[in-house]
Amino acid sequence: MSDFTIRDSRTGDEPQLRELWRTAFGDSDEYIDSFFENLFRTDECVVAEADGKVVSAMYVLPGETVFPFRKNRLTAGYTYALATLPEYRSRGIGRAVYKAASDKALGSADAACVLPAEESLYPFYENASGAKPFSFIREARIPKAELEGHVPVMAVPVPAGQYAGMREWFLSELPHVTFPEALYDHLEASGMEFFMMEKGAAAVETDNGVCVIQELLAPDADPLSAVAGIARWCRAEEYIVRTPLFLDGIGERRPFMLAAIPQPPAYPLPDDLWWGFGMD
């Protein structure tokens, strides 16, 4: 096994980080450019170096604020996009990078959060940092044919900044997480669409025939009618719909974000805390 060193990223690492991202995730150059322009900070990235090159990395996105209750808040750092070159996997390198990124997040925030790419990876992150389920969602998969016969709710595209304001107004009395402006800039630049609806709001990504409604906030609308309204703008064969537990919705409850919180608050965190955008 090759020796490796864990360190903060430094000036000059970016070309290797971009290539690592491209190799690990296969994202477009446009998406990668948007991430590095809007969210990347050299001192908020942890890398593993082996054989004279960067072989693994993970990013810390600061600035999230958690409002579990109206008068209480926590700060959160989001550890994101753990990637390791294929030939260096299964050596404990990714685990070490994630643990260092989690510790870095906790250096300036109350919680270090992470969203596993799939359900089978939750134990990996829990074992590596002690992170536990922090935010739950209700998620449903809806074939296009299931929307037939449902009267579409009006939906109108809006800029990300306008959506951010509507979102905070709607969630102001509810347990939720707020995001910095830079995150909205990245999401909009990388193709996320934002909608004001007759009875709510939604944030949507569409790719390869699948539309992921990352956030459906439509408490007074029939969920399928709300999805039908979005479908008029976002054509897909299948719709994945995520809604907060505190709203009536469809689908199954499942864990979403994990968080390591060394000093838990004196008050219990609610199960229905809504995170929203996971960039998964």
Side-chain angles (χ1 to χ4, degrees):
M1 183 180 89
S2 300
D3 292 332
F4 62 91
T5 301
I6 303 296
R7 61 170 175 81
D8 289 348
S9 68
R10 57 191 179 220
T11 302
D13 284 339
E14 187 174 325
Q16 292 187 76
L17 291 171
R18 285 174 173 266
E19 187 56 34
L20 171 61
W21 189 301
R22 188 177 294 106
T23 300
F25 304 124
D27 287 322
S28 67
D29 287 342
E30 290 78 12
Y31 185 93
I32 297 170
D33 287 345
S34 172
F35 176 83
F36 278 89
E37 289 169 9
N38 289 298
L39 295 175
F40 174 67
R41 302 291 182 271
T42 302
D43 59 348
E44 296 294 345
C45 173
V46 174
V47 307
E49 186 173 13
D51 302 323
K53 62 183 178 181
V54 172
V55 301
S56 183
M58 193 172 201
Y59 305 85
V60 180
L61 310 183
E64 282 79 9
T65 304
V66 183
F67 291 93
F69 304 102
R70 184 178 180 185
K71 294 183 179 180
N72 299 103
R73 72 175 187 174
L74 301 170
T75 55
Y78 180 11
T79 58
Y80 178 62
L82 175 62
T84 304
L85 289 174
E87 62 270 29
Y88 289 88
R89 292 173 187 169
S90 302
R91 301 181 182 184
I93 296 175
R95 180 188 178 99
V97 168
Y98 163 60
K99 183 61 171 62
S102 182
D103 290 344
K104 175 177 279 291
L106 291 172
S108 58
D110 300 310
C113 299
V114 64
L115 176 62
E118 54 189 59
E119 195 164 343
S120 64
L121 293 175
Y122 279 71
F124 167 84
Y125 290 100
E126 292 187 49
N127 293 334
S129 71
K132 300 296 181 185
F134 177 64
S135 174
F136 293 81
I137 63 173
R138 187 180 287 109
E139 182 174 280
R141 290 179 174 267
I142 303 170
K144 178 177 67 174
E146 197 172 325
L147 301 178
E148 295 179 4
H150 290 271
V151 178
V153 170
M154 182 194 70
V156 178
V158 296
Q162 183 178 342
Y163 182 87
M166 291 191 306
R167 181 183 191 270
E168 289 310 304
W169 175 82
F170 178 80
L171 295 172
S172 61
E173 302 291 328
L174 299 166
H176 74 287
V177 175
T178 66
F179 302 102
E181 181 179 348
L183 179 66
Y184 284 100
D185 291 341
H186 167 62
L187 294 174
E188 188 168 47
S190 59
M192 184 172 283
E193 298 177 87
F194 301 92
F195 294 93
M196 176 178 66
M197 306 180 72
E198 181 182 352
K199 297 180 179 180
V204 179
E205 291 181 302
T206 306
D207 187 40
N208 293 324
V210 177
C211 175
V212 181
I213 304 175
Q214 290 262 7
E215 180 169 78
L216 179 61
L217 306 175
D220 299 322
D222 168 66
L224 291 180
S225 293
V227 176
I230 293 167
R232 299 180 71 176
W233 295 90
C234 305
R235 305 293 185 182
E237 295 301 313
E238 182 181 45
Y239 295 83
I240 299 174
V241 186
R242 296 172 179 169
T243 52
L245 296 183
F246 50 67
L247 298 181
D248 292 334
I250 52 178
E252 300 297 321
R253 176 185 185 273
R254 74 167 181 86
F256 191 61
M257 194 68 66
L258 300 176
I261 309 178
Q263 297 181 339
Y267 44 85
L269 295 173
D271 282 348
D272 59 355
L273 174 70
W274 176 243
W275 183 278
F277 315 120
M279 300 197 296
D280 55 332

